[in-house]
Amino acid sequence: MTTELFYLALTALWLSALWVPFIVGSVKYDSANVAENFVIPPSPARLPPWVQRANRAHMNLVEQFAPYAVLIVILHLAGISNGWTVGAAAAFFWLRLVHAAVMWAGIRMPLRPVIFTGTWICIIILGWQALLA
């Protein structure tokens, strides 16, 4: 397995676990609504700020995961692996971990937008490497 695929797998596992804090918070703080209306997700507006931020951290990664994953697969299929692709794949994963922690903690400007922009730059680097080949 290439380093890029390794970080893609780690990111997919992180994404699959990142919804847990939101669900735990939803059940803890809105359990009556969850039990009665299970088909309708709880409204984040009725939940504490940390639960809302946990949901947003998950959704932020959902938004960026598709282009990241597609580019890693394209690079792998094209046989492209270099310092740029390895660095961008690794940085994306680690930045997404930090981003979630910062979101949960409620740390605002300028850290969250800087981290999000960093992950976007990682995607741009991966795309750049795919298009150069």
Side-chain angles (χ1 to χ4, degrees), residues 72-116:
I72 295 290
V73 170
I74 288 170
L75 290 164
H76 178 72
L77 292 174
I80 301 165
S81 179
N82 57 43
W84 286 101
T85 60
V86 169
F92 183 89
F93 171 74
W94 292 109
L95 285 168
R96 292 310 312 189
L97 281 179
V98 172
H99 184 267
V102 166
M103 287 285 286
W104 293 334
I107 300 169
R108 296 178 193 258
M109 298 295 236
L111 199 50
R112 282 192 340 219
V114 168
I115 295 169
F116 188 85

Side-chain angles (χ1 to χ4, degrees), residues 108-125:
R108 296 178 193 258
M109 298 295 236
L111 199 50
R112 282 192 340 219
V114 168
I115 295 169
F116 188 85
T117 302
T119 57
W120 177 76
I121 290 169
C122 291
I123 292 169
I124 297 302
I125 289 169

Side-chain angles (χ1 to χ4, degrees), residues 7-86:
Y7 279 107
L8 175 59
L10 284 180
T11 305
L13 290 170
W14 180 237
L15 176 59
S16 72
L18 201 50
W19 62 272
V20 173
F22 174 69
I23 296 303
V24 169
S26 297
V27 171
K28 180 177 180 179
Y29 294 104
D30 199 18
S31 60
N33 184 52
V34 171
E36 292 172 13
N37 303 310
F38 190 72
V39 294
I40 301 170
S43 170
R46 291 195 313 259
L47 299 171
W50 77 265
V51 179
Q52 294 176 35
R53 291 190 306 269
N55 183 50
R56 194 62 207 141
H58 179 246
M59 294 312 298
N60 276 169
L61 182 49
V62 167
E63 293 163 358
Q64 284 193 319
F65 185 74
Y68 172 73
V70 167
L71 289 167
I72 295 290
V73 170
I74 288 170
L75 290 164
H76 178 72
L77 292 174
I80 301 165
S81 179
N82 57 43
W84 286 101
T85 60
V86 169

